[in-house]
Amino acid sequence: MKDPPDHPSSSSNHLKQPLPSQPQPLSRYESQKRRDWNTFIQYLKSQNPPLMMSQFDYTHVLSFLRYLDQFGKTKVHHQACVFFGQPDPPGPCTCPLKQAWGSLDALIGRLRAAYEEHGGGSPDTNPFANGSIRVHLREVRESQAKARGIPYRKKKRRRKTINDVVVVKKDVANSSSTHNQSST
């Protein structure tokens, strides 16, 4: 007995109905970028007078970064603090909590991309890419490193050279010829 055409298990009915397309969930980066952008726009709207996207510049970006410090979780010791320069202080102090440099750097990268996606114009006019923002981030990085007593060193990548590959091939060739000679 054949299933009626309106029955869900009918093969002819099953093949002809397209599944409703559902949007793919955003990646972690994309959802974070959207959340950061919305937070920045809310910050602009909270200014007195409120600012529109077309009205802000790098000075507003700098004030936003300073505003975010109140939500930070990284202890940054003052120079007068007895724990200044110690990576793992033995006790509590009254120094402020601030946003970590790495968090601010990543935030600026996401906001720079979001600005361009939201019709902000060319990368040359992007307030998040302004030189003053880079200087501020560098100063934050250096001050936090000094306060913790940890010098910041840029990680150097070891680049593979053609010689590295050649040496490996020679070693493989020598080991196989040696193996062939020993087995004879």
Side-chain angles (χ1 to χ4, degrees):
M1 181 173 156
K2 206 171 185 184
D3 289 334
D6 61 337
H7 192 274
S9 67
S10 171
S11 60
S12 62
N13 194 27
H14 177 69
L15 294 175
K16 291 181 181 177
Q17 289 180 345
L19 293 173
S21 64
Q22 294 181 0
Q24 291 292 321
L26 294 176
S27 69
R28 182 171 182 250
Y29 171 79
E30 290 295 329
S31 60
Q32 202 167 10
K33 183 170 59 171
R34 178 184 286 180
R35 190 170 46 248
D36 292 340
W37 180 253
N38 291 337
T39 302
F40 181 71
I41 295 301
Q42 279 303 118
Y43 172 77
L44 291 178
K45 289 178 181 176
S46 72
Q47 298 304 292
N48 196 6
L51 295 168
M52 308 256 312
M53 187 177 133
S54 60
Q55 297 173 311
F56 81 93
D57 61 18
Y58 74 92
T59 60
H60 300 103
V61 175
L62 288 172
S63 66
F64 177 65
L65 294 178
R66 291 186 192 103
Y67 159 79
L68 289 177
D69 272 340
Q70 66 183 312
F71 307 110
K73 297 175 185 169
T74 300
K75 179 75 78 169
V76 180
H77 301 287
H78 294 294
Q79 281 188 312
C81 179
V82 294
F83 301 132
F84 181 81
Q86 294 185 24
D88 298 312
C93 68
T94 60
C95 293
L97 294 173
K98 294 189 173 190
Q99 289 288 337
W101 165 77
S103 300
L104 293 177
D105 187 49
L107 171 71
I108 289 298
R110 291 188 300 269
L111 288 173
R112 182 176 24 212
Y115 177 82
E116 291 174 12
E117 287 175 11
H118 287 88
S122 72
D124 300 338
T125 60
N126 189 331
F128 298 101
N130 185 284
S132 298
I133 305 300
R134 288 192 296 275
V135 168
H136 175 75
L137 289 174
R138 187 180 321 119
E139 289 170 354
V140 168
R141 181 187 70 204
E142 290 170 359
S143 70
Q144 289 185 4
K146 284 180 188 174
R148 293 174 49 221
I150 301 171
Y152 176 79
R153 290 190 185 94
K154 195 170 188 177
K155 292 180 183 176
K156 293 182 180 179
R157 281 199 226 154
R158 184 180 178 276
R159 292 174 35 152
K160 285 190 174 185
T161 63
I162 296 172
N163 295 338
D164 292 340
V165 176
V166 171
V167 169
V168 171
K169 286 182 179 179
K170 284 181 180 177
D171 289 345
V172 170
N174 288 341
S175 66
S176 63
S177 65
T178 308
H179 178 71
N180 289 341
Q181 289 173 353
S182 63
S183 63
T184 55

